[in-house]
Amino acid sequence: MSQYWSSLVHTLTPYVPGEQPKVNNLIKLNTNENPYPPSDKVLAAIHQAADDKLKLYPDPNSDVLKQRIADYHGLTANQVFVGNGSDEVLAHAFQALLKHDKPLLFPDITYSFYPVYCGLYGIEYQTIPLNDEFEIDITDYNQDCGAIIFPNPNAPTGRLLGLDKIEALLQMHPQQVLLIDEAYIDFGGQSAISLVNRYPNLLVTQTLSKSRSLAGLRVGFAIGHPDLIEGLERVKNSFNSYPLDRLAIYGSVASFDDETAFQTACQAVINTREVLVTKLAELGFKVIPSAANFVFASHPQHQAETIAEQLREKSIIVRYFNKPRIDQYLRITIGNDMENQALCSALEAIINNK
Amino acid sequence: MSQYWSSLVHTLTPYVPGEQPKVNNLIKLNTNENPYPPSDKVLAAIHQAADDKLKLYPDPNSDVLKQRIADYHGLTANQVFVGNGSDEVLAHAFQALLKHDKPLLFPDITYSFYPVYCGLYGIEYQTIPLNDEFEIDITDYNQDCGAIIFPNPNAPTGRLLGLDKIEALLQMHPQQVLLIDEAYIDFGGQSAISLVNRYPNLLVTQTLSKSRSLAGLRVGFAIGHPDLIEGLERVKNSFNSYPLDRLAIYGSVASFDDETAFQTACQAVINTREVLVTKLAELGFKVIPSAANFVFASHPQHQAETIAEQLREKSIIVRYFNKPRIDQYLRITIGNDMENQALCSALEAIINNK
């Protein structure tokens, strides 16, 4: 509390990110990072860009990256917006495209940054409960609203909504923006990017943090109709001209140049996820079907919070949310094979009280 | 224009940064970059950090960098805020600390991003005219207000305000935040950071873009009372958890570890500035006394815009602002000796119609 704060600051409830522990030797399955390193081509591009030209401002429009993303998806550069992680892209989208006279709709169980953005920008919102299986039922969204946002697959559930349902929602609300937050889409879903040329009200966000193993580089992007992109650019250029540094721009471009590394890492995560899901089922967990690089699971005989604490004692960190409806669930990031084996052994010991 | 934009977006007039030309062989004196490369230690630190750990999120609080900056200035880490360039730091400060019921005050001639931020956050403001010599007269600020901001040295004038005047302003308005934007302070001014322990209403922002030759890395910071820093953190953590990537964090830390490179580059810029000022005076220019890495100059017989165009034809870019009171001035960044020599020769040819 301070007399010097604007009145807004007193009302904020900031987002709390997952722990980034400063000690080593932990198996870190709490923030949905990719267990595999970024492509060698990305590292090489960063090394090459880390030169005397750092004295100059980067291109404020990151044109080379926008063009590379556009080419990758068969689109034009004016359909692409880039930012400092998809969190920054989302922040601008909330301010530029999701604030209207009628409430913004999103699921009751979803990315917990959404209500924080609403608080920051004074956006009225209404949460729509997922059904008992933690599914989004699009008929629940058939109501007056200003805009709609949800992740697909949803977080922290991992559940995927089919493209047919997304298309039905776009048709249900042609006057409203539908923002599909695809942070996890590369681990088993079909991207709604294929729909942007047909629906001017669709904005899709993605990140390089998860499937491209670049959480440390802070790059995300949005794809949609040029009018939506222009709205984002207007806000971005009223906030910070140069959100992407030189290294982030060139490293990201290189990531789209190494399709093999990208696909290999995604497939490895998917394979490990299936191993983990099978093991969790054997141990009696209920596991929500996941199309993401994490699973969301609960155990009928064990408190989720207790399991998380017991895993922590075994140097394994997973994410626990002390929130209504999900306080018996753990969100577990998919690690590499060794990490997954350690997790499975630890869970077996905990569940069987060994 | 789009039906999907929030009403705010229609009202925005985004900031237009100086041109970042994509062709080589231009002498670029238009965006106040440092002509000297960053320290080798910075590049080495970036190369070392560009490794497999990029798959992990960076420390959301950039603690190692905050501590390094605190140590450098003899302060504690809770007096330091860091962001994606000082533009992002300023944006958060406008929202967190400069929005109040009474108007924000800043000079009529100053960094042109300030009114843009006010537009973005709905902040009422009032501009206070500089005097005829483009000086800030602090008695003009002796009026009811919500907060005060200006750069010191001011931009685009380069004029410095003494610390005694800043202290008088702090005492004049103990209930209001005074934000001193010190983007250029290392080129000849005394930082107000020395006052933060005595004035809880003082926030000082600095950047690594200019004096530390790191415009391409996007790092800025703010220093002030822990309560002011907490206000900034609350907004930052409601906007984007991880604004600094791994490479920016470690590269910046290394910059504070190489005092010699920093001081050498600053002194070289100052020396070249004095050479340029002397030459400009010889050519009949009126030059505003500069404590920055640029000069602001006008010529009684030549239109500033025409000179800028003629310089461009000679592959030299300087900044021209088509704005009231300053439309006869050019803002010229200090280059290295070779660039400065080329500039001086070109100006001589233009002024003497050779």
Side-chain angles (χ1 to χ4, degrees):
Chain A
M1 293 283 290
S2 164
Q3 62 171 318
Y4 301 116
W5 291 0
S6 69
S7 56
L8 171 77
V9 177
H10 295 272
T11 70
L12 294 175
T13 306
Y15 177 74
V16 180
E19 184 188 356
Q20 296 295 332
K22 281 164 188 169
V23 294
N24 288 322
N25 303 320
L26 285 175
I27 296 182
K28 194 173 171 306
L29 306 175
N30 68 326
T31 50
N32 297 342
E33 288 135 333
N34 198 311
Y36 302 104
S39 153
D40 288 342
K41 289 188 182 172
V42 171
L43 299 183
I46 292 171
H47 283 276
Q48 200 182 341
D51 62 9
D52 287 359
K53 284 200 172 161
L54 278 171
K55 73 184 181 184
L56 301 177
Y57 282 96
D59 172 12
N61 295 314
S62 304
D63 282 336
V64 62
L65 178 57
K66 284 179 184 166
Q67 189 61 57
R68 188 66 193 87
I69 294 171
D71 291 346
Y72 185 83
H73 289 290
L75 300 166
T76 55
N78 66 351
Q79 292 173 290
V80 181
F81 177 82
V82 297
N84 184 266
S86 62
D87 280 348
E88 185 184 75
V89 175
L90 287 169
H92 290 327
F94 271 75
Q95 192 173 22
L97 303 172
L98 303 186
K99 182 174 182 170
H100 297 282
D101 293 336
K102 292 172 187 166
L104 172 67
L105 306 183
F106 52 79
D108 62 337
I109 299 168
T110 194
Y111 186 27
S112 50
F113 219 133
Y114 296 165
V116 177
Y117 294 132
C118 289
L120 187 66
Y121 298 121
I123 300 170
E124 189 195 343
Y125 68 92
Q126 185 185 331
T127 57
I128 308 290
L130 298 179
N131 71 16
D132 289 344
E133 291 301 316
F134 288 167
E135 292 164 322
I136 290 172
D137 182 342
I138 63 163
T139 61
D140 295 337
Y141 289 79
N142 195 2
Q143 56 178 281
D144 222 16
C145 64
I148 299 170
I149 182 173
F150 54 79
N152 194 39
N154 195 10
T157 65
R159 266 215 191 266
L160 187 73
L161 190 70
L163 270 194
D164 54 331
K165 301 284 173 54
I166 288 172
E167 195 160 3
L169 257 180
L170 288 163
Q171 291 169 354
M172 187 191 290
H173 289 291
Q175 308 302 317
Q176 280 75 37
V177 171
L178 173 60
L179 198 167
I180 306 292
D181 173 359
E182 293 189 340
Y184 302 104
I185 196 71
D186 296 323
F187 299 107
Q190 265 190 296
S191 173
I193 290 175
S194 60
L195 302 175
V196 294
N197 280 333
R198 287 191 286 133
Y199 294 94
N201 56 330
L202 171 63
L203 191 77
V204 179
T205 57
Q206 292 196 357
T207 174
L208 277 66
S209 297
K210 319 287 185 180
S211 56
R212 295 183 180 275
S213 304
L214 286 170
L217 200 60
R218 316 307 311 125
V219 182
F221 59 95
I223 288 185
H225 189 282
D227 285 352
L228 300 187
I229 301 305
E230 188 191 339
L232 293 171
E233 296 288 356
R234 289 174 67 90
V235 165
K236 172 257 181 189
N237 287 318
S238 301
F239 176 82
N240 184 6
S241 305
Y242 311 93
L244 289 203
D245 66 48
R246 173 176 171 78
L247 308 170
I249 291 172
Y250 288 103
S252 299
V253 166
S255 173
F256 288 92
D257 289 340
D258 193 349
E259 185 68 11
T260 304
F262 167 64
Q263 293 290 355
T264 305
C266 287
Q267 194 55 53
V269 168
I270 292 167
N271 294 345
T272 307
R273 182 180 70 212
E274 298 320 310
V275 172
L276 177 59
V277 166
T278 302
K279 184 67 187 180
L280 288 170
E282 277 175 29
L283 293 173
F285 280 88
K286 175 183 176 180
V287 187
I288 306 295
S290 170
N293 69 336
F294 56 84
V295 295
F296 203 52
S298 69
H299 198 284
Q301 282 93 42
H302 294 262
Q303 296 285 323
E305 191 168 13
T306 309
I307 300 174
E309 286 164 4
Q310 291 170 313
L311 284 173
R312 178 81 195 214
E313 286 163 16
K314 296 172 188 288
S315 299
I316 299 173
I317 338 180
V318 299
R319 190 95 192 250
Y320 170 73
F321 302 90
N322 190 6
K323 289 186 179 178
R325 292 190 72 187
I326 58 171
D327 61 353
Q328 282 313 315
Y329 282 82
L330 295 175
R331 193 196 67 186
I332 307 173
T333 303
I334 306 302
N336 62 27
D337 286 344
M338 205 180 66
E339 292 167 330
N340 196 53
Q341 213 158 3
L343 169 72
C344 289
S345 301
L347 284 173
E348 190 162 8
I350 291 167
I351 298 303
N352 298 332
N353 285 316
K354 280 178 193 163
Chain B
M1 293 282 290
S2 164
Q3 62 171 318
Y4 301 115
W5 292 0
S6 69
S7 56
L8 170 76
V9 177
H10 296 272
T11 70
L12 295 175
T13 307
Y15 178 75
V16 180
E19 183 187 356
Q20 295 297 332
K22 282 166 188 171
V23 295
N24 288 322
N25 304 319
L26 284 175
I27 295 182
K28 192 171 174 308
L29 305 175
N30 67 325
T31 50
N32 297 343
E33 288 134 333
N34 198 311
Y36 302 105
S39 153
D40 288 341
K41 289 188 183 172
V42 170
L43 299 184
I46 292 171
H47 282 277
Q48 199 181 341
D51 63 7
D52 287 358
K53 284 200 173 162
L54 279 171
K55 73 183 181 183
L56 301 178
Y57 282 95
D59 172 13
N61 296 315
S62 304
D63 282 336
V64 62
L65 177 56
K66 285 179 184 165
Q67 188 61 56
R68 188 66 193 87
I69 294 171
D71 291 345
Y72 186 83
H73 289 289
L75 300 166
T76 55
N78 65 352
Q79 293 174 290
V80 182
F81 178 82
V82 297
N84 184 266
S86 62
D87 280 349
E88 186 185 74
V89 175
L90 288 169
H92 290 326
F94 271 74
Q95 192 173 21
L97 303 173
L98 304 185
K99 180 174 183 171
H100 296 282
D101 292 338
K102 292 171 186 166
L104 173 67
L105 306 183
F106 52 80
D108 63 337
I109 299 169
T110 194
Y111 186 27
S112 50
F113 218 134
Y114 296 165
V116 177
Y117 293 132
C118 289
L120 187 66
Y121 298 122
I123 300 170
E124 189 195 344
Y125 68 92
Q126 185 186 332
T127 58
I128 308 291
L130 298 179
N131 72 17
D132 288 345
E133 291 301 315
F134 289 166
E135 292 165 323
I136 289 173
D137 181 343
I138 63 162
T139 61
D140 296 336
Y141 289 78
N142 195 1
Q143 56 178 280
D144 222 16
C145 64
I148 299 171
I149 182 173
F150 54 80
N152 194 39
N154 195 10
T157 66
R159 265 212 191 270
L160 187 73
L161 189 71
L163 270 195
D164 54 331
K165 300 284 173 54
I166 287 171
E167 195 160 3
L169 258 180
L170 287 162
Q171 290 167 356
M172 187 191 291
H173 289 291
Q175 307 301 317
Q176 280 76 37
V177 172
L178 173 60
L179 198 166
I180 306 293
D181 172 359
E182 294 190 337
Y184 303 103
I185 195 71
D186 296 323
F187 300 107
Q190 264 191 295
S191 173
I193 289 175
S194 59
L195 302 175
V196 294
N197 279 334
R198 284 190 288 133
Y199 295 94
N201 56 331
L202 171 63
L203 191 77
V204 179
T205 57
Q206 291 196 358
T207 174
L208 277 68
S209 297
K210 319 288 187 183
S211 56
R212 294 182 182 275
S213 304
L214 286 171
L217 200 59
R218 315 307 311 123
V219 182
F221 58 95
I223 288 185
H225 189 282
D227 284 352
L228 300 186
I229 301 304
E230 188 192 339
L232 294 171
E233 295 288 356
R234 289 174 66 91
V235 164
K236 172 258 181 187
N237 286 319
S238 301
F239 176 82
N240 184 6
S241 306
Y242 311 93
L244 290 203
D245 64 49
R246 173 175 172 79
L247 308 170
I249 292 172
Y250 288 103
S252 300
V253 167
S255 173
F256 288 94
D257 289 341
D258 193 348
E259 186 68 12
T260 305
F262 165 66
Q263 293 290 354
T264 305
C266 287
Q267 195 53 54
V269 167
I270 291 168
N271 295 345
T272 306
R273 181 180 70 209
E274 299 320 311
V275 172
L276 176 60
V277 166
T278 303
K279 182 68 186 180
L280 287 172
E282 277 175 29
L283 292 174
F285 279 88
K286 175 184 177 181
V287 186
I288 305 295
S290 171
N293 69 336
F294 57 85
V295 296
F296 202 52
S298 68
H299 198 285
Q301 282 93 41
H302 293 262
Q303 297 285 323
E305 190 169 13
T306 309
I307 300 175
E309 286 164 3
Q310 290 171 314
L311 284 173
R312 178 82 195 213
E313 285 164 16
K314 297 172 189 287
S315 298
I316 299 173
I317 340 182
V318 300
R319 191 97 193 249
Y320 171 72
F321 302 89
N322 190 6
K323 290 188 178 175
R325 293 188 71 188
I326 58 170
D327 61 354
Q328 282 312 315
Y329 282 81
L330 295 175
R331 193 195 67 186
I332 307 175
T333 304
I334 306 303
N336 61 28
D337 286 346
M338 205 181 65
E339 292 166 331
N340 196 53
Q341 213 157 4
L343 170 72
C344 289
S345 302
L347 284 173
E348 190 162 10
I350 290 167
I351 298 304
N352 298 332
N353 284 318
K354 279 179 192 163

